[in-house]
Amino acid sequence: MPDKRTILSGNGVGDDVAIGSSFFYAHSLDTPIYKIEEDDIEEEYKRFDEAVNKSIEEIKLLQMNADNNIKNILSIHILMLQDKVIEKQVKEEVKNKLFNIEHIYDTIISEYLEKLSSINNKMLSERSSDIIDIKTRLIKNLIQPNSAYYFQVPKNSIVIAKTLTPSDVLKFNNIGAEGFIVESGGYTSHTAILAKSFGIAIIFNITDISSKIKNGKKIIIDCKSNIVIMNPSKKDINNYTMLSDKIKKFKEKSILDAKEKAVTKDNIEIKINANIDIPEETESLLKYGIDSIGLYRTEFLYMFSDEEIITELPTEEAQFEVYKYIASKIKGKVIIRTLDIGGDKISPALGLDFKEDNPFLGWRAIRFCLQNKKLFKDQIKALLRASHYGNIEIMIPMISTLEEIEDTKKFIEDVKEELKKENQNFNENIKIGVLIETPSAAEIIDLIVKEADFLSIGSNDLVQYMMACDRTNEKLTYLYNPIDISVLRTLKKIINTANENNKPIALCGEMAGVPEYTPVLLGLGIREFSMPIKSISAVKNIIRNVSIEECRNLVNEMLEKCSNSFSKSSLYNFRKKFNI
Ligand code: PEP
Ligand code: MG
């Protein structure tokens, strides 16, 4: 792979840029394949020798805390890593074939493993798992030679990964990563949502990443132009440093814009609440002058703590402290969503049994909570107790049936009784709202509206389930369309029903924070939005530039024409006309 300036295209989230040095998150990567020059051979040999030594050191460390049995197995691993026959074969093939050493090593060992599996011998096939283990370790140390643990990743790194989980994002945020380049995922994935809320540049959908990008090299991410520049020129670095400063200044101005009210040209005030994922975001929310939370995703409390992935569920007391902290800081309402674990959010503390074939259609959110009463009770108790210290409202995610609402409300009433017996203070009239994010909930919205104190539309999931299209699957981005005619009709029905019944309704999915959708949502009747803090100023600026009547006309036209390409072009014209 030549070290020349190369541009790769992907799908960036937001407008951020990042300049840093590439860091391969080896656990998630395929073995890279690239051609080398004859001049590179010695360097490849050196990398191999160093990776072997590092692997041996790691194994020796593991041996220190192991019992005798394990110690013996690990000694065999060391002997295998020192195998001179393999080393000779690997080095010869690098010289003859002129491919990178990890690819050659991977191929030789894989062929060896294949031969072993064809021999019907139990002892030999048991040896296979040792060989796979050694192979994985050595390849990890070849492609990620500088660090063994994520917390040793140098600051200002741009993390390159095949996939990233929300927990990975938190870990890398803690060590000050500048950006992420990920092979697969989408802008409504929780990974993207979390990266955006930390202000870390993230770009998805760059295929075959490990063959295209080298470890430890200067690299730039430009999310707005959807590109990655490898081995940037001096000019690139100067330009992007300037752009990055400009973005910083723009962000400072955004804070001022976010503080002002959002009133349309025809004098309708639109309420903007914030979405938060972690309690620490409360501080930035105050900085932006926002005094209400429309969605606090509590599941991250179950996934990781400040330092590490957690292995124990948060106690009632620990949750109470967090909810109380947020509620006492924020003057307006604080909508806290009950645990929405499942889908792409897995809690290590819930154990391995929680793996499913179709997690987005699985044991998620309220379905899980209603079958795990002890865990759910801890959360409801903590929420109710914290409601004494601020304006907490409870929101239930992933409702698909009326019975789920009834069961949840009954459950909350029972917990209230228990708290009364314990003489605990709480808000007896706490509001219980429903997140509308399944097609079934949308279909029975006339029934749900009577049971709920308020509604919020979870468009991320609603679009996913309506279009039968995984929100994290990059191959389906063409289908994942929040203004598809089917979605527009459904949104209209939900919003009209809420408005006719005088029930507060907001929209809190990612589309709320995408400025080009703002006129559509206003035209559909949304008067309350909830979005990531970083999107607030841009959306408010659009609201100030439009009238409700113009937005209504736009939506009516989109609904009448029933054509997605018409919708797309009318949005484009609308944006042009109003300079937004
Ligand atoms: C949604 O689905 O739109 C939503 C707000 O919830 P989440 O993104 O956490 O699934
Ligand atoms: Mg959702």
Side-chain angles (χ1 to χ4, degrees), residues 190 295 297 337 345 364 437 458-461 471 508-509:
H190 290 100
L295 169 66
R297 293 180 165 96
R337 179 175 74 181
K345 289 173 290 189
R364 189 183 162 186
E437 51 185 348
S459 53
N460 299 337
D461 279 315
R471 66 198 252 187
C508 65

Side-chain angles (χ1 to χ4, degrees), residues 279 296 298-299 301-302 314-329 334 336-339 378-387 389-390 392:
Y296 168 35
T298 56
E299 47 281 3
L301 279 179
Y302 292 71
T315 59
E316 175 196 324
E317 209 50 38
Q319 291 186 67
F320 165 68
E321 289 301 334
V322 172
Y323 305 148
K324 178 179 156 194
Y325 163 80
I326 298 173
S328 49
K329 287 242 163 195
V334 176
I336 303 188
R337 179 175 74 181
T338 58
L339 179 63
D378 283 346
Q379 180 168 47
I380 297 296
K381 264 190 150 177
L383 282 170
L384 287 169
R385 285 174 56 206
S387 70
Y389 299 89
I392 290 181

Side-chain angles (χ1 to χ4, degrees), residues 516 554 557 565-580:
E516 68 173 327
L554 168 80
E557 230 186 326
S565 57
F566 172 83
S567 295
K568 217 169 150 192
S569 66
S570 26
L571 267 201
Y572 177 76
N573 292 336
F574 192 86
R575 280 196 346 245
K576 241 170 72 183
K577 183 169 161 203
F578 293 97
N579 201 17
I580 51 179

Side-chain angles (χ1 to χ4, degrees), residues 522-559:
L522 290 174
L524 283 166
I526 287 287
R527 301 290 176 262
E528 185 171 342
F529 294 66
S530 193
M531 64 189 71
I533 303 167
K534 301 254 158 49
S535 310
I536 292 178
S537 61
V539 170
K540 279 192 164 179
N541 281 339
I542 291 198
I543 293 171
R544 294 177 190 124
N545 269 295
V546 296
S547 72
I548 295 294
E549 200 193 334
E550 287 153 357
C551 298
R552 251 190 225 128
N553 292 342
L554 168 80
V555 168
N556 286 344
E557 230 186 326
M558 285 162 77
L559 286 166

Side-chain angles (χ1 to χ4, degrees), residues 376-406:
F376 197 31
K377 192 200 241 175
D378 283 346
Q379 180 168 47
I380 297 296
K381 264 190 150 177
L383 282 170
L384 287 169
R385 285 174 56 206
S387 70
H388 181 63
Y389 299 89
N391 301 317
I392 290 181
E393 301 184 6
I394 297 177
M395 181 155 74
I396 320 165
M398 277 295 284
I399 286 290
S400 332
T401 68
L402 211 54
E403 288 72 23
E404 283 171 338
I405 306 178
E406 288 162 0

